[in-house]
Amino acid sequence: MRNNDLTIAVLSGKGGTGKTLVSVNLAALLPDSTYIDCDVEEPDGHLFFKPVFGTSVPVMVKTPQVDENRCTGCHACVDFCKFNALALIGSTLMVFNEICHSCGGCVLVCPRKALSEKERMVGFVREGISRGVQVVTGTMNIGESSGVPIIEAELRIKEKNINNLTFIDCPPGSACLVRKSIQEADYCLLVAEPTVFGAHNLAMVYALVSSLHKRFSLVLNKCLGGEENPSEVFAIEHQIPIVGRIPFDSELGLLNSEAKVVVWESEKYRQLFSSILTTVLREAHHEATGNS
Amino acid sequence: MRQLVILSGKGGTGKTTVASSFIKLATAKTYADCDVDAPNLHLIGSPFPSVKQTDYFSMPKAVINANLCISCAMCRKYCRFGAIVKDKTYKVDAASCEGCGVCAFVCPAKAITMEKTKAGDLLLYSDTDNTVFSTAVLSMGSGATGLLVTQVKKQMKAASGETPLAIIDGSPGIGCPVIASLSGADMVLIVAEPSISGISDMERIIGTAQQFQVRLAVCINKYDTNLLQSSHIESYCRTRRIPFVGKIPFEPMAIKAINQGKYLVDFPCEGAKALADVFAETMDLLQAEVV
Amino acid sequence: MRIAIPVEDISVEGKVCPSFGRAPYFYLYDTEDGHTLFLQNSAAESQGGAGIKAAQLLVDNQVAVVLAPRCGENSAKVLHSANMHIYKTVSSGVSENLALFAQGKLALLDKFHAGFLGHAE
């Protein structure tokens, strides 16, 4: 079974559960894999990989601008804008960029064709290589409201490299940014920690991936021996396959906090994540053939 | 009423543990959980006797009337959000629809209307001693937005009466919901994690709060998991004159407390002591006159 | 000259509203002929950009002066572009603030909170 063209999205709902730990280290195991950081508000993966980046590609969105010679101050654009991003003083149109959703509606409704669009930058995407892993990082500019355009730009890069095993490091939460990140994923890998909060958030991402008819399995992180794991209980109750258990380990925690790729630092962790990767790939391919 | 908002940039730093501990220490009568993508605050403490539910409506979303639709696909051509899908007939994917109204405008058959959509439930819990707790639960497919955060806070303020302090547990990230939670804040307490990625995240949330000129303070949680990075955070704050209100050690009791739905400060432990000190420092700063 | 004040309800004895963009009404007072009127603020129920929409409403109603306790950057931009002056109210009483303004005792509002992507309180 080839791993070409398999895209696995790693998500957890809650932040700090280990999405980046898992996605970075699984991608790092094989040369020729791709890692895409879709947490564009707080990107971290590049801090671990430390790739040599190529040029930054700006991500642009459209914003309206007015030809004052054509504008008659009729107000049609102001009245149309559902986001209240426009204001008209006489025939001077003011545009509030950070509120504008770039829908293009104002341009369409203007009876005098006085509006056109220019582009403005909301973030940037960088690509680089680190020990054979293609690292794609998207960063949203501080003060912007939505990371969606940056995620879309990153995923367009992925479309050009369809022969790589790809891991998508998803943003926290379970709403529109996450949906965007997992939309084209072939498979989802959920990560959960052993607390009531963790189980609660696992339930939310479980509902999300189920509603999108994605195939998925679960990695339990920060596992403590002996105590009951609420996330494991949830997984068993809902028949979610568990593909790995990462122990709560202060050495692992320290390496991680020093932004080290643990599978490159120690054989112990290389083996731990290799066995998780083998199981995930087996699950992903197994379900694929089962459904074909 | 002073509003203290607790943020972290990245999740998992212990924001909710800090927020819940502060609520207990302050015997705060007014608090809110604005992290509606992953609300957790309601899992701590004893349940409230009463709750008031209100429907939360997001932007009106486009709806295509299949009887009037002539399948010309103009809507799909003009929609910039990929929200028009074809499944025998043309339909709007509400989760992707941003409510801009362009499709309704371009439709030659006038088959599209903008309709109010329920996107979740606003919940206001209250107790006989006038404690109020405001939060929300999102419907599947809906996202946390600035508007929802604003509604959660508005609901809290309307019910709060004459309390001196409101504590708000914010969302991770630096986007719209976080920016909305900064509005009206008297102070933001950032809970930082001592790791390289944690520091990068902390810098971005600080940058965001500073752009909106909100008073800031920083504390470190689980500081002893990496003493080197902890010291980096302290020097970062010192150099930029950002008030540093203390550090909390990694506390094994925290998981137990969370899993039992209890406040960490009710357990006699190092973490609880440190939290109490951070709380005292934060309150001093908050009550100090704004220059 | 027309003066506008964001208010909580339709009453001259009413209170000044702490929010500009989401005030339920604006009280308008014309200093030349003494006419008064209460404008319903359609911006109050907006999803976002309420301050901008409220400011647009005042521009469209030829207001020259705004008396308010606070105001966002975006609203201020719109109001200033229309050559309006914004003064800071000192109490919650509508008539009190009008009287103080007439006596030249109100200061210009010069600190505007940053636009919260249209979600300011």
Side-chain angles (χ1 to χ4, degrees):
Chain A
M1 263 301 163
R2 310 278 300 276
N3 292 322
N4 293 357
D5 200 20
L6 182 64
T7 300
I8 300 176
V10 183
L11 65 157
S12 68
K14 190 179 176 308
T17 331
K19 283 184 290 327
T20 301
L21 172 74
V22 169
S23 49
V24 163
N25 284 284
L26 291 182
L29 284 171
L30 300 171
D32 297 336
S33 60
T34 298
Y35 165 86
I36 304 182
D37 194 346
C38 283
D39 185 359
V40 299
E41 292 183 19
E42 299 280 21
D44 288 338
H46 63 291
L47 298 169
F48 293 80
F49 281 118
K50 303 175 185 52
V52 177
F53 277 125
T55 24
S56 243
V57 177
V59 178
M60 314 295 279
V61 297
K62 297 192 178 179
T63 189
Q65 57 184 359
V66 66
D67 177 348
E68 298 204 354
N69 295 323
R70 298 183 73 96
C71 175
T72 57
C74 75
H75 243 250
C77 55
V78 173
D79 295 338
F80 180 85
C81 182
K82 306 286 189 291
F83 312 102
N84 298 320
L86 300 170
L88 195 66
I89 321 289
S91 56
T92 305
L93 186 71
M94 298 179 74
V95 180
F96 291 89
N97 286 322
E98 62 282 2
I99 298 176
C100 170
H101 281 52
S102 305
C103 71
C106 50
V107 177
L108 291 172
V109 306
C110 178
R112 302 271 303 151
K113 300 220 184 323
L115 286 171
S116 58
E117 291 178 295
K118 62 179 179 192
E119 298 203 303
R120 70 179 190 95
M121 182 176 125
V122 292
F124 53 94
V125 176
R126 291 176 293 174
E127 267 183 86
I129 303 279
S130 173
R131 295 205 203 177
V133 178
Q134 179 198 25
V135 178
V136 180
T137 298
T139 307
M140 182 181 88
N141 287 350
I142 291 177
E144 292 295 335
S145 58
S146 170
V148 168
I150 296 105
I151 294 175
E152 286 174 336
E154 290 182 280
L155 296 178
R156 281 196 289 271
I157 292 176
K158 183 202 80 84
E159 274 161 33
K160 291 191 253 163
N161 299 309
I162 58 169
N163 288 324
N164 284 9
L165 171 62
T166 302
F167 289 92
I168 297 178
D169 189 355
C170 294
S174 49
C176 62
L177 287 178
V178 180
R179 291 179 147 256
K180 202 80 215 177
S181 307
I182 69 177
Q183 234 162 32
E184 311 299 324
D186 302 303
Y187 193 81
C188 291
L189 183 56
L190 313 183
V191 183
E193 57 180 35
T195 63
V196 163
F197 287 359
H200 186 66
N201 297 128
L202 173 60
M204 292 176 77
V205 286
Y206 166 74
L208 173 68
V209 296
S210 303
S211 75
L212 294 174
H213 309 293
K214 296 287 184 190
R215 299 171 288 136
F216 56 92
S217 54
L218 171 68
V219 172
L220 295 169
N221 191 20
K222 306 187 200 174
C223 292
L224 303 157
E227 317 243 340
E228 186 183 65
N229 183 334
S231 295
E232 185 164 6
V233 169
F234 181 90
I236 294 169
E237 277 168 12
H238 292 81
Q239 294 166 316
I240 306 173
I242 296 173
V243 294
R245 286 172 174 74
I246 302 168
F248 185 94
D249 172 344
S250 43
E251 188 197 340
L252 178 64
L254 187 60
L255 282 174
N256 202 45
S257 73
E258 285 297 320
K260 303 271 190 227
V261 179
V262 300
V263 300
W264 291 346
E265 297 295 315
S266 126
E267 189 52 35
K268 175 168 86 166
Y269 299 125
R270 186 175 188 88
Q271 281 178 16
L272 171 66
F273 281 92
S274 289
S275 99
I276 293 173
L277 181 61
T278 308
T279 316
V280 171
L281 292 176
R282 194 179 61 224
E283 276 292 316
H285 290 302
H286 167 71
E287 292 192 36
T289 50
N291 288 338
S292 59
Chain B
M1 181 178 74
R2 299 271 171 118
Q3 278 188 38
L4 173 67
V5 179
I6 303 182
L7 297 174
S8 63
K10 195 69 155 189
T13 55
K15 196 173 37 64
T16 302
T17 304
V18 171
S20 60
S21 302
F22 274 33
I23 287 163
K24 187 76 203 288
L25 290 167
T27 51
K29 289 274 187 274
T30 304
Y31 54 102
D33 188 352
C34 288
D35 185 4
V36 279
D37 259 347
N40 286 326
L41 200 50
H42 63 291
L43 297 168
I44 309 280
S46 29
F48 282 82
S50 56
V51 58
K52 185 178 89 161
Q53 179 273 346
T54 324
D55 287 345
Y56 159 66
F57 292 96
S58 67
M59 291 289 285
K61 309 253 174 164
V63 177
I64 300 176
N65 182 339
N67 295 327
L68 297 174
C69 174
I70 59 172
S71 299
C72 66
M74 284 287 275
C75 50
R76 193 159 70 169
K77 179 176 168 203
Y78 281 93
C79 175
R80 292 202 177 161
F81 309 106
I84 309 280
V85 296
K86 182 150 192 271
D87 164 39
K88 290 191 204 114
T89 54
Y90 285 93
K91 285 198 176 70
V92 176
D93 169 21
S96 302
C97 175
E98 301 227 344
C100 69
V102 167
C103 55
F105 178 75
V106 302
C107 175
K110 302 258 175 293
I112 305 182
T113 46
M114 305 304 291
E115 308 204 348
K116 243 168 108 167
T117 315
K118 180 174 166 185
D121 296 280
L122 283 162
L123 300 169
L124 187 67
Y125 294 91
S126 55
D127 210 333
T128 45
D129 63 352
N130 295 325
T131 305
V132 299
F133 167 48
S134 175
T135 185
V137 172
L138 284 166
S139 309
M140 173 56 54
S142 301
T145 59
L147 177 65
L148 179 55
V149 167
T150 307
Q151 304 263 37
V152 170
K153 292 203 304 171
K154 185 170 158 186
Q155 181 181 245
M156 178 193 78
K157 279 176 67 177
S160 66
E162 295 293 318
T163 47
L165 173 69
I167 296 179
I168 295 168
D169 187 6
S171 355
I174 59 168
C176 194
V178 172
I179 291 173
S181 62
L182 290 172
S183 165
D186 290 285
M187 195 162 101
V188 169
L189 173 63
I190 290 175
V191 180
E193 179 189 89
S195 66
I196 289 177
S197 55
I199 291 177
S200 165
D201 298 338
M202 176 195 78
E203 289 177 5
R204 284 172 65 78
I205 183 65
I206 286 178
T208 309
Q210 286 177 331
Q211 222 183 48
F212 295 97
Q213 294 166 350
V214 184
R215 285 166 75 203
L216 269 186
V218 171
C219 71
I220 305 176
N221 192 21
K222 310 182 219 175
Y223 82 87
D224 50 352
T225 56
N226 192 321
L227 295 172
L228 175 64
Q229 300 303 337
S230 287
S231 68
H232 285 161
I233 296 174
E234 288 193 64
S235 2
Y236 179 94
C237 291
R238 224 173 6 246
T239 338
R240 286 160 188 74
R241 294 179 201 260
I242 298 172
F244 179 76
V245 289
K247 50 197 184 197
I248 305 144
F250 173 78
E251 179 50 73
M253 289 304 273
I255 296 185
K256 229 193 203 104
I258 289 174
N259 284 346
Q260 290 178 21
K262 299 211 167 98
Y263 296 101
L264 179 57
V265 288
D266 285 341
F267 292 71
C269 57
E270 288 304 312
K273 259 193 246 140
L275 266 166
D277 289 339
V278 171
F279 172 74
E281 284 285 328
T282 310
M283 289 299 117
D284 280 345
L285 211 53
L286 184 59
Q287 310 301 356
E289 278 306 307
V290 184
V291 171
Chain C
M1 141 181 94
R2 268 192 179 173
I3 304 175
I5 308 180
V7 293
E8 302 272 20
D9 39 48
I10 306 185
S11 156
V12 191
E13 315 307 323
K15 289 174 83 161
V16 174
C17 181
S19 166
F20 172 80
R22 294 190 188 277
Y25 306 97
F26 282 101
Y27 174 75
L28 264 57
Y29 173 74
D30 194 320
T31 56
E32 270 148 58
D33 54 21
H35 269 141
T36 65
L37 102 97
F38 284 92
L39 264 183
Q40 181 143 28
N41 180 15
S42 48
E45 292 310 309
S46 290
Q47 305 285 327
I52 294 165
K53 188 165 179 180
Q56 179 76 68
L57 181 67
L58 298 188
V59 168
D60 294 344
N61 278 276
Q62 293 89 44
V63 168
V65 167
V66 172
L67 309 184
R70 57 199 289 263
C71 178
E73 207 173 63
N74 291 334
S75 315
K77 267 196 199 139
V78 178
L79 298 174
H80 286 154
S81 292
N83 297 319
M84 284 192 230
H85 296 291
I86 312 169
Y87 292 85
K88 190 168 158 64
T89 51
V90 296
S91 67
S92 60
V94 171
S95 17
E96 202 184 319
N97 281 292
L98 281 171
L100 285 168
F101 174 72
Q103 292 158 34
K105 288 188 176 164
L106 289 185
L108 278 171
L109 184 60
D110 55 8
K111 275 213 177 85
F112 304 104
H113 57 78
F116 292 100
L117 301 178
H119 294 297
E121 294 190 343

